[in-house]
Amino acid sequence: MKRKNSLFLTLLLVCALLVSACSTTANTEPKENETNNQKTEKEQTLIVNANTEPSSLDPVLIDNQMAGDMANQLFEGLVRLDKDGNIEAGVAEKWSMSDDGLVYTFYLNKNAKWSNGDQVKAEDFYFSWERALRPETAAPLGSNLFFIKNGMQYNSGEIKDSAQLGMKVIDENTFEVTLEKPTSFFLGLTAFFTLLPINKEVAESKPDWASEGESFVSNGPFKIQNWKHGQEVIMEPNEHYWAKDVVKLKQLKWVMVNEQNTDYGMYQSNQLNVSTNLPNSVRSKLIESGEALTAPAARVVYLRYNHKNEILENVKIRKALGLALNRQLIVDKVTQGGEIPALAFIPPGLGSGVGEFRQLAGEALYKDNDIDTAKKLLVEGLKELGLSSLPKINFLFQTNDTYNKLSQAMQEMWKQNLGIEVELQTLEGKVFVQTVQSGEYELAIYGTGADYDDASNLMGQYVTGDVYNYSNISIPEYDDLVSKADAEVDLEERAKYMVDAEKVLIDEMAIAPLYYGTQVYLQKENVKGIYRYVIQAVDYREAYVE
């Protein structure tokens, strides 16, 4: 910190020294430290954008990645990820696995505490996970715990006794988990936000504990200092966190600004340190200049068909619509965020248990912008349906800058390449999701991302009858292959089943992948220590302002 020299300051310093020599109680050092601390606290404030008010910060009720990112700063699971995305100790300081890969025993760090000073106990994890599996909880991502023995049956109500779940509290600091079958990615899954713990005693005594900042109790590197609903969530270091010494920020502030141009303006005027909601109009320019950075994301954006629609249940019509799109043009001129054209379903970077999935399955399962084949299939499909032309189709998408432009580009491609008319309809995010979930749509732009590092994470949602199968897809061969992969213990054989399942899904064009996502973000040069992972999570635990 630079200081200005002046006669006044010199005289003041001399006086202070004289006073100090005459009195043991007079000392200017504490005031100097106080000033330095105030400046440090001001500098160690990081402001990021949550876009909108989170529907919940109770881990088990979270249904989107942004709220999950917020929860990951407030809570900590059995394990966490290091800067390279590798598993390291979280609340569990160590763990062991049985020879058959079915039983995990976690030994909790006795210094792990909640923000109210309570010790984090094994029963907190048992309570949290059992609660996520209760049918009445209706946890949006509760299926991530179905790998636990009897987890699915307990969630469906087939088993009502929680004692039959594959979870056991051995003692205050030891938690045992038994799986349905060996699951290579289970350990990493325990870092995912649905599996984060909550304080059992607090949750039982105050069921609405997670609705306000004053009552919020967490066990991660940060706790809530203030929560102004619809405006901001301010986090501060959790003084009871077992690794509090690695936390450098004094304040992590989440504002709620959904408009992309406003977000960018705030970043330019230094009201944001990090921006992840860039307008399309400047995105490519910022990437080219190096100001905006990109990171891999295990996410795919795709065209969702409603298979209950009498036209879209025809495989040739679905293929015609999917093959008539120019994905390279979409990523180059529309999305402009470094995305990769998706010529298959599973995004790059996801594992298979025996290596990276895309390396096993190949990069392309169909040809991009295959207009000649699309025209031929459209004619054949219309003939099978007894139609001379395709009726106008409703095309639904979520309101934001990217999807607004993407839907218009796709509309024009179908018109030029196939002579097809689609009617665009946009809805606000929450209403859009509700509409798709209810099946009240024909075509829709949708995105899905991985919760954990395995291709199987994205495959189950297209199995007949799956709770997330909003497209009403039913392909017996696909169901059979996914079922075999789920039951297979041999990882090589399991990977082969998953590769074959993806081929069936794409051959039927059950969905039409558009592009693999990337994380595009702006980050001030003096901001360091933020870790971003392929599974889209972000970690601010060790972030600081230089």
Side-chain angles (χ1 to χ4, degrees):
M1 183 170 61
K2 294 182 179 179
R3 298 171 184 261
K4 293 182 179 179
N5 294 319
S6 69
L7 178 60
F8 174 75
L9 287 176
T10 303
L11 291 172
L12 185 62
L13 180 59
V14 170
C15 292
L17 289 171
L18 289 172
V19 172
S20 177
C22 299
S23 172
T24 58
T25 59
N27 193 332
T28 58
E29 186 63 23
K31 292 184 179 179
E32 244 180 79
N33 285 344
E34 183 179 347
T35 301
N36 288 339
N37 288 340
Q38 288 174 345
K39 183 172 179 62
T40 300
E41 183 167 344
K42 181 179 179 181
E43 290 176 344
Q44 292 305 323
T45 294
L46 197 65
I47 307 175
V48 298
N49 188 6
N51 300 337
T52 60
E53 168 82 8
S55 56
S56 178
L57 287 177
D58 179 343
V60 75
L61 300 180
I62 292 174
D63 62 358
N64 66 85
Q65 187 61 50
M66 182 59 75
D69 285 343
M70 297 175 75
N72 280 332
Q73 317 316 312
L74 296 166
F75 297 89
E76 183 173 82
L78 291 167
V79 304
R80 58 182 301 113
L81 303 180
D82 67 13
K83 63 180 181 179
D84 299 315
N86 299 314
I87 294 169
E88 66 176 5
V91 174
E93 60 182 5
K94 60 181 180 179
W95 50 86
S96 62
M97 181 180 69
S98 61
D99 292 340
D100 61 7
L102 289 175
V103 182
Y104 285 77
T105 305
F106 297 93
Y107 303 93
L108 275 53
N109 186 338
K110 294 179 181 179
N111 293 319
K113 295 185 178 180
W114 295 98
S115 55
N116 64 357
D118 292 348
Q119 185 176 339
V120 181
K121 301 176 183 178
E123 66 178 354
D124 292 323
F125 281 94
Y126 183 98
F127 172 79
S128 304
W129 292 12
E130 183 271 332
R131 175 172 169 259
L133 286 168
R134 294 176 197 167
E136 63 268 24
T137 301
L141 299 174
S143 59
N144 283 328
L145 287 100
F146 287 0
F147 304 105
I148 297 171
K149 183 179 179 181
N150 291 329
M152 183 184 296
Q153 295 89 329
Y154 187 72
N155 180 258
S156 69
E158 181 181 341
I159 291 176
K160 300 186 183 300
D161 182 5
S162 62
Q164 295 186 49
L165 284 170
M167 302 189 301
K168 186 183 297 182
V169 175
I170 304 299
D171 58 42
E172 193 173 77
N173 300 300
T174 310
F175 184 46
E176 184 183 276
V177 181
T178 302
L179 306 181
E180 285 281 359
K181 62 174 184 134
T183 305
S184 59
F185 50 84
F186 176 74
L187 190 59
L189 179 58
T190 66
F192 184 63
F193 56 77
T194 306
L195 281 77
L196 296 173
I198 62 172
N199 187 307
K200 178 178 183 288
E201 185 176 332
V202 169
E204 290 183 331
S205 62
K206 188 175 176 59
D208 61 347
W209 64 274
S211 61
E212 299 295 339
E214 293 80 4
S215 55
F216 203 93
V217 176
S218 58
N219 74 315
F222 296 94
K223 64 180 182 179
I224 293 182
Q225 180 191 80
N226 192 22
W227 185 351
K228 295 181 181 177
H229 291 285
Q231 299 179 49
E232 64 182 18
V233 173
I234 299 177
M235 300 179 186
E236 63 181 357
N238 174 10
E239 68 272 23
H240 296 293
Y241 179 55
W242 68 273
K244 63 182 179 181
D245 291 343
V246 306
V247 181
K248 300 178 179 68
L249 290 177
K250 298 301 180 183
Q251 194 175 86
L252 177 58
K253 182 177 179 180
W254 302 75
V255 297
M256 300 170 190
V257 178
N258 199 31
E259 211 283 316
Q260 290 174 318
N261 288 313
T262 303
D263 178 294
Y264 182 52
M266 291 175 67
Y267 180 83
Q268 288 181 304
S269 61
N270 295 316
Q271 297 176 69
L272 286 176
N273 300 97
V274 179
S275 171
T276 58
N277 196 23
L278 284 64
N280 275 40
S281 58
V282 298
R283 186 178 300 176
S284 60
K285 182 174 69 173
L286 292 172
I287 293 174
E288 289 173 8
S289 69
E291 185 177 352
L293 305 173
T294 62
R299 180 176 177 79
V300 59
V301 174
Y302 61 96
L303 176 65
R304 185 187 280 278
Y305 306 103
N306 189 340
H307 287 233
K308 281 193 174 180
N309 180 277
E310 58 184 8
I311 293 174
L312 297 175
E313 68 177 355
N314 183 283
V315 63
K316 292 180 178 177
I317 297 296
R318 296 198 303 269
K319 284 186 175 183
L321 291 169
L323 295 176
L325 297 171
N326 188 332
R327 290 158 179 79
Q328 191 64 57
L329 186 63
I330 285 173
V331 300
D332 288 344
K333 302 298 183 182
V334 181
T335 58
Q336 298 183 315
E339 295 87 357
I340 302 170
L343 301 181
F345 171 50
I346 301 298
L350 276 187
S352 67
V354 290
E356 207 257 357
F357 184 89
R358 283 267 60 87
Q359 291 181 4
L360 293 175
E363 297 297 326
L365 300 184
Y366 57 88
K367 181 182 175 183
D368 187 28
N369 196 32
D370 192 357
I371 299 173
D372 290 341
T373 303
K375 287 180 176 179
K376 176 176 176 292
L377 289 169
L378 177 62
V379 171
E380 293 176 1
L382 289 173
K383 185 176 181 180
E384 289 177 0
L385 293 170
L387 298 173
S388 58
S389 62
L390 199 68
K392 183 178 286 189
I393 299 175
N394 180 266
F395 187 24
L396 186 67
F397 58 97
Q398 181 177 337
T399 304
N400 69 34
D401 187 45
T402 299
Y403 288 169
N404 290 348
K405 293 178 180 177
L406 175 58
S407 61
Q408 293 173 35
M410 293 169 67
Q411 181 188 46
E412 186 61 25
M413 289 176 187
W414 284 324
K415 183 176 182 180
Q416 288 187 3
N417 298 337
L418 298 177
I420 290 174
E421 295 285 345
V422 298
E423 180 181 40
L424 303 183
Q425 181 185 2
T426 181
L427 293 173
E428 180 272 329
K430 186 178 292 186
V431 179
F432 167 82
V433 172
Q434 291 172 345
T435 302
V436 172
Q437 290 177 347
S438 68
E440 299 298 320
Y441 74 99
E442 294 177 336
L443 292 175
I445 298 174
Y446 219 79
T448 187
D451 298 339
Y452 51 86
D453 185 18
D454 193 82
S456 64
N457 182 209
L458 300 182
M459 288 186 161
Q461 59 190 303
Y462 306 113
V463 169
T464 302
D466 187 85
V467 66
Y468 301 110
N469 188 353
Y470 308 135
S471 292
N472 301 299
I473 296 168
S474 183
I475 306 172
E477 185 180 1
Y478 179 80
D479 296 348
D480 181 57
L481 287 166
V482 172
S483 178
K484 286 179 177 177
D486 286 345
E488 183 58 62
V489 175
D490 183 282
L491 294 181
E492 296 278 356
E493 287 299 312
R494 174 178 178 270
K496 289 178 183 177
Y497 286 134
M498 291 196 295
V499 168
D500 289 343
E502 184 195 41
K503 288 178 180 176
V504 170
L505 189 76
I506 295 303
D507 186 57
E508 291 279 334
M509 200 61 82
I511 60 170
L514 299 174
Y515 56 84
Y516 302 125
T518 53
Q519 301 177 63
V520 181
Y521 62 97
L522 293 168
Q523 182 173 310
K524 299 296 183 181
E525 288 187 6
N526 63 339
V527 174
K528 311 292 182 182
I530 298 176
Y531 304 138
R532 301 175 187 278
Y533 308 114
V534 173
I535 53 173
Q536 301 183 76
V538 61
D539 187 1
Y540 292 102
R541 183 180 78 155
E542 298 179 33
Y544 64 97
V545 181
E546 197 173 56

